[in-house]
Amino acid sequence: MAAKRSAGLLLFRRRGTDTEVLIGHMGGPFWQSRDDGSWSVPKGEYTPDEEPTAAARREFAEELGVPPPDGDWLPLGEARQSGGKIVTVWAVDGDLDTGLVVPGTFTMEWPRGSGRMQEFPEIDRAEWISVAEAREKLVTGQRVFLDRLEELLDSGRG
């Protein structure tokens, strides 16, 4: 069986000499009391018949409730997550008012084994934070995208 695939979009903006990225804290009961290692690039799964960039655009809009800003999509490549999923991410230099974010939702049985279905936000908040702080906040398997973004910006290609 082929590995599941996800595509995402990492917004970034420059603030003086600092670069900030927009990431989301994962929603639902498993993540609610966690902070470090519980944030994600807005992303989601896609099927083999869908273009990864279209999936990244769709998932950004679904997770944040707003379309991604216009801009050049800079490829940050792929990374295999600890569960085996392959994530592909692009970076876009843009801005977004986090006050406009209205996260999408998902439904799951909670508490587990209760038979009761509950709805939770896909992300419970989105924030602009420095790349250095994002290294602590992002799930481990996505931190490589921060390294690649910095390399791209340092090379003058971003």
Side-chain angles (χ1 to χ4, degrees), residues 18-144:
D18 202 14
T19 300
E20 294 179 331
V21 292
L22 180 71
I23 58 176
H25 183 266
M26 292 185 274
F30 181 73
W31 302 103
Q32 72 184 35
S33 63
R34 299 174 185 212
D35 192 44
D36 289 352
S38 61
W39 293 67
S40 178
V41 170
K43 63 165 186 52
E45 290 184 12
Y46 65 96
T47 59
D49 61 336
E50 185 176 17
E51 279 294 317
T53 54
R57 185 178 304 280
R58 172 181 49 79
E59 288 295 330
F60 186 96
E62 283 181 14
E63 289 200 359
L64 300 178
V66 293
D70 292 331
D72 293 331
W73 285 49
L74 308 170
L76 299 180
E78 296 181 341
R80 185 176 295 272
Q81 308 298 275
S82 60
K85 183 185 293 182
I86 299 171
V87 178
T88 306
V89 172
W90 288 265
V92 171
D93 186 353
D95 205 355
L96 181 89
D97 179 353
T98 56
L100 301 176
V101 170
V102 180
T105 60
F106 68 96
T107 303
M108 66 178 270
E109 180 185 29
W110 191 258
R112 288 190 180 130
S114 69
R116 200 171 85 189
M117 301 302 285
Q118 291 191 50
E119 196 169 89
F120 298 97
E122 290 198 42
I123 63 163
D124 54 30
R125 64 189 179 276
E127 293 180 13
W128 285 102
I129 61 175
S130 70
V131 170
E133 187 179 358
R135 284 190 205 294
E136 302 296 319
K137 304 283 184 205
L138 278 177
V139 293
T140 304
Q142 293 179 21
R143 294 174 186 168
V144 65

